[in-house]
Amino acid sequence: GGLHAVDGLSTRVEQGTIVGIIGPNGAGKTTLFNAIAGIQRLSAGTIRLAGHSIERSRPFERARLGLARTFQNLQIFPDLTLLENVMIGCHPRSSTGFLSSMLATPASRAREQQMEETAHDKLSLLGMADRAGELAGNLSFGQAKLLEIARALAAEPTVLMLDEPIAGVPASEQGAIGDMIKAVNARGVTVVLVEHNMRMVMRLCDEILVMRSGRFLAEGTPA
């Protein structure tokens, strides 16, 4: 008898676009993200990625299919370096097994080198390559948000889901995050973001989905 989160919602995201999901607190935006990412099970309905049903796939399987996300609350490892944090994001695409990694076989060493190169590339894209060897715990909140985006990109996603990427970020650092989202999208990555900052939403998004009380309210261009 309570609120039905994400009730009867039907929408689609076109490849290569930036789509914003907006609405008041409690509208169901993060629940929708969790359902798409596989953290929240559906009671009904379907989710399709590039035409394939994924609602029964586990989160890591969806990551391998090209779906990556960040969280409202930071999920970084403060005692690891920036490079190590981003390398963790490479693992959904890794084909190296546990035994070969333990034995440090040539294949596992080559894969480790490849992961390092990928991590450096993502840090460069977000303007953080010169800090690759620093501990993540030394970053400002806005920089840590960028690090989390870099780690998500390390999985080479086709769809990047950002849950409130500038929430809690000082105004002086918000523009840099918006610029990086644009740069990521320019590389062909589809971006879906939940965000309360309407100036950022209007600046970045090609399409906007509006939710209220767990239901669809409106959909269209920013205009």
Side-chain angles (χ1 to χ4, degrees):
L3 176 71
H4 286 211
V6 196
D7 184 21
L9 174 68
S10 179
T11 190
R12 64 182 293 156
V13 174
E14 295 292 338
Q15 182 177 348
T17 60
I18 302 177
V19 174
I21 303 173
I22 65 172
N25 290 330
K29 305 181 298 296
T30 294
T31 304
L32 174 61
F33 256 38
N34 288 341
I36 295 170
I39 297 169
Q40 175 70 49
R41 286 186 175 274
L42 299 187
S43 54
T46 60
I47 303 168
R48 292 183 178 272
L49 178 62
H52 302 287
S53 295
I54 62 170
E55 65 272 6
R56 294 185 180 179
S57 301
R58 289 176 286 182
F60 74 89
E61 293 171 329
R62 301 183 197 204
R64 286 176 177 168
L65 291 171
L67 196 65
R69 70 163 295 180
T70 64
F71 295 82
Q72 283 185 29
N73 299 316
L74 285 173
Q75 301 283 338
I76 64 171
F77 298 94
D79 296 328
L80 297 181
T81 67
L82 274 64
L83 183 68
E84 289 165 339
N85 266 275
V86 178
M87 286 176 67
I88 289 170
C90 298
H91 283 283
R93 299 287 188 176
S94 176
S95 58
T96 305
F98 175 71
L99 187 59
S100 62
S101 295
M102 277 195 64
L103 297 175
T105 63
S108 70
R109 291 198 301 272
R111 177 57 184 154
E112 190 82 5
Q113 179 64 35
Q114 184 181 2
M115 289 166 62
E116 275 196 39
E117 292 171 0
T118 297
H120 274 295
D121 175 63
K122 305 314 175 189
L123 287 171
S124 295
L125 175 63
L126 274 67
M128 305 176 79
D130 59 334
R131 305 185 66 178
E134 285 188 39
L135 292 180
N138 295 336
L139 297 177
S140 69
F141 191 76
Q143 292 165 342
K145 287 268 189 175
L146 284 173
L147 177 63
E148 196 172 39
I149 294 173
R151 185 178 59 198
L153 289 172
E156 303 291 354
T158 55
V159 180
L160 175 63
M161 300 168 59
L162 305 175
D163 198 350
E164 298 194 25
I166 64 170
V169 176
S172 60
E173 299 181 11
Q174 291 178 3
I177 293 178
D179 291 341
M180 295 311 162
I181 292 171
K182 276 286 192 184
V184 167
N185 179 246
R187 285 193 169 194
V189 179
T190 303
V191 179
V192 185
L193 61 93
V194 167
E195 186 50 64
H196 285 284
N197 185 308
M198 289 306 300
R199 184 175 304 217
M200 180 71 74
V201 169
M202 292 297 187
R203 174 192 162 200
L204 292 179
C205 296
D206 302 301
E207 297 281 335
I208 298 173
L209 168 69
V210 190
M211 297 180 67
R212 183 179 66 186
S213 301
R215 291 178 173 268
F216 170 89
L217 182 64
E219 192 171 31
T221 66

